[in-house]
Amino acid sequence: MTTPPYPSYPEDLERPGLVRTGRSTFVRPIRPEDADRLVAFVGTLSRATLAYRSLGPVVRARDDVIRRGAHVDYLNELALVALAGDEIAGLVRYVRDPEEPEHAEVTFTIRDDHQSEGFGRLLLEHIAAAARARGIRVLEADVLADNARMINVFLGSGYRIEAGPPGQIIHFEIAVDPQAQAVARAERREQTAVRRSLKPLLEPRSVAVIGANRDPLTIGHEIVANLLRGGFAGSVFPVNPRAGQIAGARAYASVRDVPEPPDLALVAVRAEAVPGVVRECAEVGVKAVVVVSTGFGETGADGRAGELELARFARASGMRLVGPNCMGVVNTTPAARLAATFSPALPTPGRVAMSSQSGPLGLAVLDFARRLRLGFSGFVSVGHAVDVSTDELLQWWEEDPGTSVILLHVETFGDPRRFARVARRIAPRKPIVAVHPGHADSAVSSLFAQSGVIRTRSLQELFDVALLLAHQPPPPGNRVAVITNAGGPAALTVGACAASGLCVPALGERTRQTLRPVLASHADVSNPIDLTPTATAAHYRQALDAALADDGIDAAVVLFMPPLADKPDEVASAILDAAAARPDKPVLASFLGGAGVADLLHRGDLVVPTYTFPEAAATSLGHAAAYQAWRSTPAGVVPDLAGVDAERARSLIASCAPGPVPAAVAAELLASYGIAVRGGEPGPGPDAFLTVRADPVFGPVVAFGLTGDYADLMADVAHRVTPLSDRDAREMVRSLRAAPLLDGRTGGPGVDLAALEETVLRISAMVEDHPEIEALELRPVRLLPPGDGVAVAHATIQLADNTTAGGSP
């Protein structure tokens, strides 16, 4: 295998990291200018550590030899360093075997004062991903038999390990192909580390506000005032060199003068002063920093570079950083009572948590939530999210017993694959509702759909759905009863239900028999149940009781027109009583024109969400029903596929230059994954196409559709982000609006859907195994009758320049 020269410095390998203890660090490739830092690192190592590293008697290398270790080609030799402040805490290096270029020798060195913290395992994950992207399949390591820490790192990694015979030196061979066990263990390690690292941010014992101000209505003053008003039980330290007291709390001239190292510091100073303040925070031992200040990425390229450097410094110093350009963090749980924000509207305690990427938007969100009476367990404005990210906050709220619904305002994704992995794990237990700007971004929609995230079209819709899921269970199905005292709003509700994937079926005969004797003779006991304008609270209670008892009904929407009826408080009480009697089925209400009536639908922990207009209730219920259907479907798996020869495929790719692959080689490459390229007559239905494009944010995106007008005019194309599970492939194929043409619903024999889904899975596996594949197109794909498979008539494959192919540690 030939290996072309690698770029001078692969920036894609610069990654923040968290070790097992929750300490943050920054992992990056070594640079030539690290030579003196490398000498200092080796100089700190004990004789025992040097002996483990050199596999024998300690021989200290000369400084000029050590300095040469900072010069690597980033392809055949690569070294990654984990930083603690400006110093190296750990180093991992591989050197490719020139005789077996898919093998490399790997060595680890961890500074003595950082051993047992988890640096070795973190660096193994990073170097394995980097090696895999550079065509290395096996990392080999020799370890002294009494080096228990390093042996445990290898054995506990989850990678496939082959160890040589026991002796003074043990030889390990580590297969760096992703293994399910390795991924699972990495996720558990990451989850533990993330939660520990965020504890000083979300449950601090003390808070400093740097840039605190004596003048009310300034950001620095309001943060201090909110911390005190919110009942924070820890110490609050305003920092201002020209004030003795702020909002009743003693002020300090500098963070260095604070009597104890604060867990959390909020920074509200001019942008040019922020780096110096953050450096001071690192020097005194602050564990988390929230930069409220503006003047960074929103100002252009220089501001963006400045905030990224700020994040790198914070990570290397062991701190977590939120922002910049954010409005702070809120945690209403009894363990925290933290209102570290300048928002004039503080949320009431509740079971909803939210992450927002817009600082100004957060102000409106908190005010709107108060008016909705929607309580929050936590709120984090991540701003430009240069460090603490949405997926990390998801992992915090995943284990928070006070959070049952998670809301996201997401503008950009730091690591979409990690977001998808985390969201997929959480969504079956806690609904995640997100709003993302833009409507035609198929990759985002696909990412959310695969992860079980409920995507809404607006902030209003986001909160409408949250209001339902925070107070009522998702419906077991999509069958809705509509109860009303006015026919017009009921007709609107039925139409909105149909548009939201819900149905309004006829009530069962037993339910109708129950209702006829107790309702007015002119009341309609079909569905909608029209109680007429003369309906009383008792009529509402009887109708709702009967509808919820009907086995053919999964939820109820109750409409009430106050101008047509008296005593809305009695009607609200009747609705609450009926909802309490059937807690397994959600009840929603729309009290049209009844200002203040919604407040009556709260009784302790029991809340029936009410909406100004019934269409919003139907839309929210449709989202909840679709979420429940997703949650009730067995989770998919990425299957092991028979007939795959990844070694053959790797060899074929290595023999090709970047760019289009010759047709014969493309056919061989597909054959190595069990896909035959052959001619053939069209099947009983239309032809199809399968494509893969490497999205710069989401990675490989698979598209499937039917050729001709279906895709060209109707834009009837399904997208999914790799890797695809069997569930993803099944849903993808069946999600087309033209799907009835494939499964026989139009009267024909249908096509071999099982073979089509398997082809989708094989394509997904191929591009996951070989990131060099930049684009792929199978067109046309002949869809044959059930049992006859599919026939790929033509295929094109394009390879990226493998000198820039990277991996995500």
Side-chain angles (χ1 to χ4, degrees):
M1 180 177 104
T2 60
T3 52
Y6 212 74
S8 57
Y9 183 78
E11 291 187 2
D12 63 297
L13 296 184
E14 289 189 347
R15 295 287 171 133
L18 292 171
V19 296
R20 175 178 49 79
T21 60
R23 176 193 173 91
S24 64
T25 183
F26 192 76
V27 178
R28 63 166 174 81
I30 203 165
R31 305 167 180 159
E33 56 266 32
D34 289 323
D36 289 339
R37 189 178 282 111
L38 189 59
V39 170
F41 168 69
V42 174
T44 67
L45 303 179
S46 67
R47 294 180 64 86
T49 296
L50 286 170
Y52 284 142
R53 172 64 183 81
S54 58
L55 302 178
V58 176
V59 178
R60 289 194 177 270
R62 300 195 315 270
D63 287 355
D64 59 327
V65 174
I66 296 172
R67 287 192 175 91
R68 284 202 292 272
H71 298 265
V72 297
D73 64 8
Y74 303 112
L75 177 65
N76 296 313
E77 182 179 8
L78 173 66
L80 302 177
V81 294
L83 299 178
D86 291 331
E87 300 177 340
I88 297 173
L91 169 73
V92 61
R93 183 189 304 270
Y94 80 63
V95 178
R96 193 190 300 266
D97 185 338
E99 301 298 325
E100 293 185 83
E102 293 186 349
H103 287 235
E105 180 185 1
V106 65
T107 55
F108 295 79
T109 311
I110 310 299
R111 209 170 73 188
D112 289 71
D113 56 338
H114 290 293
Q115 292 174 7
S116 299
E117 292 183 11
F119 277 93
R121 192 156 293 172
L122 176 69
L123 287 171
L124 174 58
E125 292 170 11
H126 282 246
I127 200 70
R132 187 165 59 245
R134 287 155 178 75
I136 293 171
R137 295 175 46 249
V138 177
L139 294 174
E140 300 186 23
D142 290 324
V143 182
L144 288 177
D146 62 346
N147 189 353
R149 287 174 176 163
M150 201 68 242
I151 291 171
N152 288 335
V153 166
F154 291 148
L155 295 180
S157 67
Y159 290 105
R160 191 170 68 252
I161 304 290
E162 292 185 9
Q168 186 179 2
I169 296 176
I170 302 175
H171 180 76
F172 287 94
E173 292 193 357
I174 306 147
V176 298
D177 286 338
Q179 299 289 313
Q181 188 179 28
V183 171
R185 290 187 181 182
E187 286 184 4
R188 287 196 298 271
R189 187 199 64 79
E190 176 191 78
Q191 184 182 10
T192 300
V194 163
R195 288 188 57 79
R196 287 176 176 170
S197 77
L198 294 183
K199 191 173 180 65
L201 171 71
L202 296 171
E203 293 182 356
R205 294 166 297 181
S206 54
V207 181
V209 182
I210 304 170
N213 200 302
R214 286 175 294 190
D215 297 332
L217 302 182
T218 59
I219 288 176
H221 182 277
E222 289 307 297
I223 294 173
V224 176
N226 279 340
L227 283 165
L228 299 173
R229 273 198 303 264
F232 179 61
S235 301
V236 178
F237 304 118
V239 175
N240 184 321
R242 292 179 295 277
Q245 194 176 73
I246 294 175
R250 178 188 171 184
Y252 297 85
S254 162
V255 71
R256 291 192 178 95
D257 300 321
V258 170
E260 63 183 74
D263 280 346
L264 172 64
L266 283 96
V267 179
V269 300
R270 298 185 313 277
E272 58 268 26
V274 169
V277 168
V278 172
R279 186 170 291 276
E280 285 186 0
C281 288
E283 290 170 357
V284 302
V286 172
K287 298 181 178 66
V289 178
V290 175
V291 179
V292 175
S293 310
T294 60
F296 289 91
E298 73 277 12
T299 65
D302 290 344
R304 179 62 177 167
E307 68 185 16
L308 292 177
E309 182 56 38
L310 198 66
R312 280 192 287 266
F313 172 78
R315 278 293 195 147
S317 301
M319 294 189 300
R320 301 309 311 270
L321 185 145
V322 172
N325 192 14
C326 70
M327 56 170 288
V329 300
V330 175
N331 186 354
T332 68
T333 60
R337 289 183 294 170
L338 176 71
T341 176
F342 57 87
S343 171
L346 295 180
T348 56
R351 303 192 62 79
V352 176
M354 183 174 184
S355 165
S356 172
Q357 285 190 343
S358 170
L361 183 65
L363 297 173
V365 162
L366 292 181
D367 179 62
F368 186 56
R370 281 191 71 91
R371 287 190 280 117
L372 282 179
R373 296 188 61 174
L374 184 65
F376 276 72
S377 59
F379 180 89
V380 179
S381 168
V382 295
H384 295 169
V386 294
D387 178 27
V388 172
S389 60
T390 298
D391 54 82
E392 290 181 306
L393 293 170
L394 282 175
Q395 293 180 78
W396 175 269
W397 290 320
E398 176 183 11
E399 301 299 330
D400 178 20
T403 298
S404 58
V405 180
I406 302 172
L407 308 183
L408 306 176
H409 167 252
V410 184
E411 294 179 354
T412 58
F413 292 92
D415 187 339
R417 293 193 166 203
R418 184 166 68 170
F419 171 85
R421 191 174 68 242
V422 172
R424 232 183 248 201
R425 186 178 73 225
I426 298 172
R429 295 183 291 114
K430 296 185 179 183
I432 303 171
V433 191
V435 62
H436 181 279
H439 298 287
D441 40 1
S442 57
V444 172
S445 295
S446 300
L447 182 73
F448 286 162
Q450 286 176 259
S451 308
V453 175
I454 302 170
R455 185 180 186 184
T456 59
R457 294 165 293 185
S458 66
L459 282 168
Q460 177 70 61
E461 193 173 301
L462 177 88
F463 281 101
D464 286 343
V465 176
L467 199 61
L468 166 58
L469 293 174
H471 301 302
Q472 294 283 308
N478 69 340
R479 301 163 300 178
V480 183
V482 178
I483 301 171
T484 183
N485 63 350
L492 291 174
T493 306
V494 172
C497 284
S500 302
L502 303 169
C503 66
V504 183
L507 299 175
E509 180 58 32
R510 179 179 297 179
T511 304
R512 293 198 296 271
Q513 290 176 0
T514 302
L515 288 173
R516 285 191 187 103
V518 297
L519 299 182
S521 59
H522 54 286
D524 187 348
V525 295
S526 56
N527 193 10
I529 306 171
D530 190 349
L531 304 178
T532 77
T534 61
T536 65
H539 291 139
Y540 268 94
R541 173 66 195 272
Q542 291 161 335
L544 189 51
D545 278 342
L548 293 176
D550 192 320
D551 291 338
I553 295 298
D554 301 305
V557 176
V558 184
L559 310 179
F560 178 64
M561 291 289 290
L564 303 180
D566 294 327
K567 301 180 180 178
D569 54 336
E570 294 183 6
V571 173
S573 181
I575 294 171
L576 286 169
D577 290 341
R582 287 304 302 260
D584 57 322
K585 294 184 179 181
V587 176
L588 294 75
S590 179
F591 276 48
L592 293 92
V597 175
D599 293 339
L600 301 174
L601 289 167
H602 291 245
R603 182 190 295 160
D605 292 335
L606 175 61
V607 177
V608 170
T610 184
Y611 301 86
T612 303
F613 298 108
E615 295 92 337
T619 300
S620 302
L621 193 56
H623 280 303
Y627 163 71
Q628 179 63 18
W630 176 88
R631 187 167 70 170
S632 302
T633 304
V637 296
V638 178
D640 292 327
L641 299 167
V644 171
D645 189 347
E647 297 296 330
R648 174 63 177 156
R650 190 174 289 109
S651 176
L652 288 166
I653 290 173
S655 69
C656 295
V661 172
V665 178
E668 281 193 70
L669 185 55
L670 287 163
S672 67
Y673 275 78
I675 301 172
V677 178
R678 55 191 172 90
E681 295 298 320
D687 288 338
F689 65 85
L690 269 170
T691 67
V692 179
R693 294 289 182 271
D695 186 274
V697 175
F698 294 94
V701 178
V702 182
F704 167 72
L706 304 182
T707 57
D709 291 347
Y710 301 102
D712 299 337
L713 297 182
M714 299 169 60
D716 191 14
V717 180
H719 298 82
R720 290 294 185 272
V721 179
T722 66
L724 270 66
S725 68
D726 53 0
R727 173 176 172 173
D728 295 329
R730 182 172 58 254
E731 292 177 350
M732 182 182 189
V733 167
R734 288 164 169 77
S735 67
L736 295 181
R737 294 193 297 277
L741 296 172
L742 306 180
D743 59 14
R745 278 181 282 169
T746 57
V751 303
D752 195 335
L753 288 175
L756 177 57
E757 293 164 14
E758 184 176 317
T759 302
V760 171
L761 290 170
R762 290 181 181 277
I763 289 297
S764 171
M766 185 167 71
V767 298
E768 279 291 300
D769 290 347
H770 308 287
E772 303 92 337
I773 297 176
E774 184 176 56
L776 177 150
E777 182 168 359
L778 310 183
R779 184 192 296 260
V781 178
R782 308 290 193 195
L783 303 181
L784 305 178
D788 290 348
V790 299
V792 176
H794 183 70
T796 59
I797 295 176
Q798 177 148 335
L799 300 181
D801 184 346
N802 60 4
T803 66
T804 59
S808 298

